[in-house]
Amino acid sequence: MTRRLITLLAAVALLLGMTTACNRIGIEDLEKELVGVWWDEYEHSDVTEQGVAFDRVLLAVQALADHTGCIYVGVYDSENENLVAIYGGPEVAGFTWHLLEDGSLQLAEANMVKGTGDGQGYYGDDMTNVSSTNMTYTNGNVTVTNTIYSGTLNKAEGEKVTQIVDNVCDTPMNNPAVGQVIGSDGKNYNYNRLPSGVTAVAKIVYLGSDTNVPSPYNHGLALAMKDEYGMPWEAAKTYCSKTKNTDNPVPNATWMLPSIHQWGTMGARAGGSTTYMTLRDGFRTIGGQNLKKVPYWTSTPNGSIFAGSFGFSNGTLDFYNRDIKLWVRACLAF
């Protein structure tokens, strides 16, 4: 009888082991299905911390096969079809994940100290707060709940994956602000908080819709930290739009020669009673080179012989023969 009991217990133990293994195999298969980009898009009117209005939100959760992931929020101005700002990203909304048997996702912040930038407390920061977010995977959908959102995400397929990743996920910039610098790693920082080994390549001087720049490079402008050498107009355009883009640290951003309109916009956003002087003299204190009190080329042509310039001695616009050499300061549109 003892032998029978031992045999029975052994059979039960084997059965339990097989059941556990089957459950584990089931979870592993579900985890494979979970890997991908999940998204929801909806109307919500608000403003960014810089006061830029938006009325549409794209929430994206990217789950990777190595059990890491990230939350991203892109906010849009629907009227102009502009991406206004991106929140989240690996630094503040990265997480590790594991699927439990009840379908819930066990999340842990990949970076345990959440960023506390100027945008803390705004819509995007609340949306990407991993510690207050719950996720569940059931019936092929991901349900997300946090302090201000509760909804079901759909899995992106085909071109939708590329669209979301290119426009929202594939950027290391997080909650940019005027006055910050863009580092050689493609991320934005307050200048006094640049990490060791990262150098400043541009200063953010404008945030907001710029209809002169095609999407997705139309929600911010940053000026290079120093001048390029003097050159004719055609060479200046080629250098800024092609040569500098061979070493561009920021995904979804492009170097270019600013237009007359863009020079004026950047000067106005800089503030002060004489805005061109505020813009001109705002680089030396952050490790850059102030603009010179001379004319700089713009990308704006005037007929077939002349092109526009912006003068930093008096803030005036003028036109010069394209063949002469003027100073050049490249602009990064992101």
Side-chain angles (χ1 to χ4, degrees):
M1 186 171 181
T2 301
R3 184 178 299 170
R4 289 180 181 176
L5 180 60
I6 293 173
T7 302
L8 178 61
L9 290 173
V12 170
L14 178 62
L15 180 61
L16 289 173
M18 291 175 63
T19 302
T20 301
C22 289
N23 287 342
R24 185 60 218 163
I25 291 173
I27 289 177
E28 288 176 350
D29 288 340
L30 289 174
E31 286 182 340
K32 292 178 182 178
E33 295 177 3
L34 181 61
V35 172
V37 177
W38 301 82
W39 67 283
D40 186 21
E41 195 168 23
Y42 53 92
E43 294 181 355
H44 179 90
S45 296
D46 206 338
V47 296
T48 67
E49 57 277 16
Q50 286 81 32
V52 182
F54 62 88
D55 56 16
R56 183 162 54 92
V57 176
L58 173 65
L59 170 63
V61 175
Q62 190 172 33
L64 303 176
D66 63 356
H67 287 89
T68 63
C70 202
I71 304 173
Y72 300 88
V73 174
V75 295
Y76 292 79
D77 170 11
S78 296
E79 182 177 353
N80 296 308
E81 298 183 355
N82 290 329
L83 177 62
V84 172
I86 299 174
Y87 298 89
E91 293 297 320
V92 298
F95 58 79
T96 60
W97 62 270
H98 290 281
L99 183 64
L100 305 181
E101 291 186 8
D102 63 359
S104 62
L105 284 161
Q106 184 180 57
L107 302 180
E109 290 184 357
N111 184 350
M112 297 306 293
V113 181
K114 186 178 184 298
T116 55
D118 295 337
Q120 182 71 15
Y122 282 81
Y123 186 76
D125 297 286
D126 293 335
M127 286 286 291
T128 58
N129 191 328
V130 175
S131 62
S132 65
T133 299
N134 296 311
M135 296 187 198
T136 303
Y137 179 62
T138 53
N139 300 322
N141 292 311
V142 172
T143 301
V144 175
T145 303
N146 59 29
T147 55
I148 59 174
Y149 172 86
S150 180
T152 300
L153 311 185
N154 298 309
K155 191 172 187 179
E157 303 290 350
E159 293 183 1
K160 190 66 177 180
V161 176
T162 303
Q163 177 189 356
I164 294 174
V165 170
D166 286 351
N167 290 330
V168 180
C169 301
D170 190 23
T171 175
M173 292 189 67
N174 178 62
N175 200 17
V178 170
Q180 289 185 327
V181 296
I182 299 176
S184 53
D185 59 354
K187 300 178 183 180
N188 56 299
Y189 300 95
N190 293 331
Y191 177 70
N192 59 0
R193 294 185 179 179
L194 274 173
S196 176
V198 177
T199 58
V201 298
K203 177 185 177 182
I204 299 174
V205 294
Y206 170 78
L207 289 172
S209 170
D210 184 348
T211 56
N212 289 272
V213 182
S215 178
Y217 318 125
N218 58 357
H219 67 283
L221 298 173
L223 274 177
M225 298 295 287
K226 62 181 182 178
D227 293 329
E228 310 301 337
Y229 53 88
M231 60 186 85
W233 185 70
E234 289 288 355
K237 286 202 308 175
T238 300
Y239 182 86
C240 291
S241 63
K242 294 183 179 180
T243 306
K244 282 191 72 68
N245 279 306
T246 61
D247 186 25
N248 185 354
V250 187
N252 284 341
T254 185
W255 287 104
M256 63 184 186
L257 184 66
S259 67
I260 284 180
H261 165 82
Q262 287 157 351
W263 273 123
T265 297
M266 291 186 288
R269 184 55 58 93
S273 58
T274 50
T275 55
Y276 75 92
M277 292 175 62
T278 306
L279 179 65
R280 181 190 71 195
D281 300 334
F283 289 83
R284 186 172 298 158
T285 56
I286 56 170
Q289 178 188 68
N290 284 346
L291 290 148
K292 295 177 173 60
K293 298 179 182 180
V294 296
Y296 282 74
W297 276 128
T298 79
S299 62
T300 304
N302 183 19
S304 59
I305 298 176
F306 299 96
S309 71
F310 190 91
F312 278 96
S313 60
N314 52 14
T316 59
L317 304 176
D318 207 342
F319 295 93
Y320 288 88
N321 188 297
R322 298 179 183 184
D323 292 334
I324 73 169
K325 293 182 179 181
L326 294 183
W327 286 95
V328 175
R329 179 73 65 112
C331 178
L332 185 66
F334 60 91

